[in-house]
Amino acid sequence: MAEDLYELDRTFERRDFRTHPLPGGAYENCVFLHCDFSGSDLAGIHFIDCRFTGCNLSLAGLRGTVLRDIRFE
């Protein structure tokens, strides 16, 4: 995991992470609303206490990804 990025209490809305990849690091207590992660490489990213609402995670690469206390709606 890239230790240089740590996002806390941030909301990401209608982001297309296929064309603009989510930077590696840790995301804690973040909300992702209607974001497109399809086919994205999320390897090694830590998601802690996050919520994904209406997001597309089809075929996202999750090798080494941490999903701790996550809600998918």
Side-chain angles (χ1 to χ4, degrees), residues 28-45:
E28 186 171 348
N29 201 37
C30 291
V31 177
F32 297 88
L33 301 171
H34 307 288
C35 294
D36 192 349
F37 294 93
S38 59
S40 296
D41 183 11
L42 303 176
I45 297 177

Side-chain angles (χ1 to χ4, degrees), residues 7-59:
E7 293 284 356
L8 178 65
D9 297 326
R10 185 159 174 208
T11 298
F12 300 85
E13 189 168 359
R14 299 191 186 286
R15 299 281 183 94
D16 186 346
F17 293 114
R18 299 170 303 158
T19 55
H20 300 318
L22 186 67
Y27 296 83
E28 186 171 348
N29 201 37
C30 291
V31 177
F32 297 88
L33 301 171
H34 307 288
C35 294
D36 192 349
F37 294 93
S38 59
S40 296
D41 183 11
L42 303 176
I45 297 177
H46 291 198
F47 296 100
I48 303 157
D49 294 319
C50 292
R51 179 170 46 106
F52 295 82
T53 301
C55 294
N56 182 356
L57 288 138
S58 301
L59 300 175

